[in-house]
Amino acid sequence: MKRALLLLGILSVSLLQLTAQTMKLWDAPWTSKMRRPKLSIYKTEVNNTGISVIICPGGSYFYTGIKDEGEMVAKWLNKNGISAFVLHYRVGLHGNHHPAMIQDLQRAIQLVKEDSAEYGISPEKVGVMGFSAGGHLAGIASTYFDINFLKNLNIEPKVSLRPAFVAMIYPVISMNDSIAHKKSRRNLLSNKYTKEEMRMMSLELNVRSDMPPVFLIQCKKDKTVDYRNSECYSHALSMKGVPYKYKLYDEPGHGFGINMKRGYGQAPMWNQDFIPWLEEIFQIQILNISQK
């Protein structure tokens, strides 16, 4: 009996620790059938820079690729003194469409900034990183940071919803037919989207000069998202004078995150350029640990 109680106690502590690593975004009945959106929290324990990143995994707005484009990236960021929050946002698989996804991301930005002291981070150094469709979601946050998509949920954040920076890795950018990733468009906007919605969600058409700095990478032979998405976005950023770094790899690949086993050539090593880029933005020195 004593041994059973001891094991039960250990299990209870373990469960509490597991629960402490996640945070629900909403306490609302309308989320129960949608696999309640949450943040997985990865606090850095090494040379804390005060920088944090909210990570939006990809998955065509239909699902979220949490392992390669979430957990693996978060753990690597931790090694470099950067805290990370992996966003499990609502997706089309459960019948969700815009603005559900950006509501989840804006709520995450709000909560991370409000609780920044608890996480040992600076509210002025909260950035967003996204992969594929998650890159598009990160782009929405950096483009429309002054639109409160939470308003119809009766939430008025007291913090700025503007990210300090945005990293877009092989991202979906455009909703226009010639280069759109149509599965992402369908899951984001449904099949009944209007021309106005399509234009608003075509990020290359809505770049503004007051956007945060952008880190952008793409593979020219990407068979999933046409590389011209990033090409036209790079051009638009340049025209508006937005600080950005763009790297186009002359190789195939998509959905690899930083996993060398799933990518080709140098593309999965994009993160080695990301750290020096952050150092320039914040004028600090950061470790640059390989993902291996």
Side-chain angles (χ1 to χ4, degrees), residues 21-268:
Q21 296 175 355
T22 63
M23 176 175 63
K24 290 189 294 185
L25 297 180
W26 313 99
D27 286 315
W30 50 264
T31 63
S32 60
K33 62 181 180 180
M34 303 173 185
R35 294 193 180 182
R36 297 195 178 196
K38 63 182 180 180
L39 282 174
S40 294
I41 303 167
Y42 295 82
K43 289 174 62 176
T44 185
E45 302 295 337
V46 180
N47 298 320
N48 188 358
T49 63
I51 300 171
S52 62
V53 180
I54 298 172
I55 304 172
C56 305
S60 302
Y61 279 124
F62 185 69
Y63 68 98
T64 48
I66 297 297
K67 185 176 180 180
D68 286 337
E69 298 177 342
E71 295 174 358
M72 191 172 182
V73 177
K75 291 175 181 177
W76 170 76
L77 287 167
N78 282 176
K79 292 178 182 178
N80 287 278
I82 300 168
S83 291
F85 303 83
V86 178
L87 178 62
H88 303 245
Y89 55 92
R90 284 172 283 168
V91 291
L93 178 62
H94 307 296
N96 300 293
H97 303 292
H98 176 71
M101 297 79 166
I102 187 58
Q103 286 176 335
D104 290 343
L105 179 50
Q106 284 196 336
R107 179 66 166 166
I109 293 171
Q110 176 197 4
L111 295 177
V112 168
K113 286 190 174 185
E114 287 180 348
D115 297 335
S116 57
E118 176 184 341
Y119 302 127
I121 60 175
S122 168
E124 305 302 320
K125 296 180 180 179
V126 178
V128 177
M129 175 184 291
F131 300 80
S132 194
H136 185 268
L137 181 56
I140 297 174
S142 66
T143 304
Y144 300 114
F145 57 84
D146 53 355
I147 296 177
N148 179 17
F149 289 97
L150 304 173
K151 190 170 185 178
N152 65 353
L153 301 176
N154 298 315
I155 297 174
E156 292 288 346
K158 295 181 181 180
V159 295
S160 170
L161 296 175
R162 183 182 187 273
F165 57 88
V166 59
M168 303 167 74
I169 315 303
Y170 42 80
V172 172
I173 296 291
S174 184
M175 298 290 119
N176 287 315
D177 285 334
S178 61
I179 58 173
H181 184 243
K182 295 180 181 178
K183 187 175 180 181
S184 291
R185 182 176 66 186
R186 181 172 65 251
N187 287 310
L188 178 67
L189 299 177
S190 81
N191 287 321
K192 298 180 181 179
Y193 60 84
T194 65
K195 288 185 178 180
E196 181 181 353
E197 288 173 328
M198 186 173 75
R199 191 185 191 290
M200 183 178 183
M201 290 295 108
S202 293
L203 301 179
E204 80 279 11
L205 302 179
N206 296 283
V207 172
R208 42 196 281 188
S209 59
D210 58 349
M211 285 172 52
V214 176
F215 180 88
L216 176 67
I217 75 111
Q218 180 59 281
C219 293
K220 193 170 185 178
K221 300 173 185 176
D222 188 331
K223 295 181 180 180
T224 303
V225 175
D226 192 317
Y227 82 98
R228 291 178 295 171
N229 277 259
S230 291
E231 289 284 286
C232 65
Y233 195 57
S234 170
H235 178 71
L237 291 170
S238 178
M239 292 296 291
K240 289 293 184 178
V242 178
Y244 76 101
K245 179 180 180 64
Y246 174 44
K247 191 160 186 177
L248 179 65
Y249 295 91
D250 189 21
E251 53 204 41
H254 190 89
F256 46 79
I258 57 171
N259 190 340
M260 294 294 293
K261 295 179 181 179
R262 293 194 60 189
Y264 299 87
Q266 295 298 308

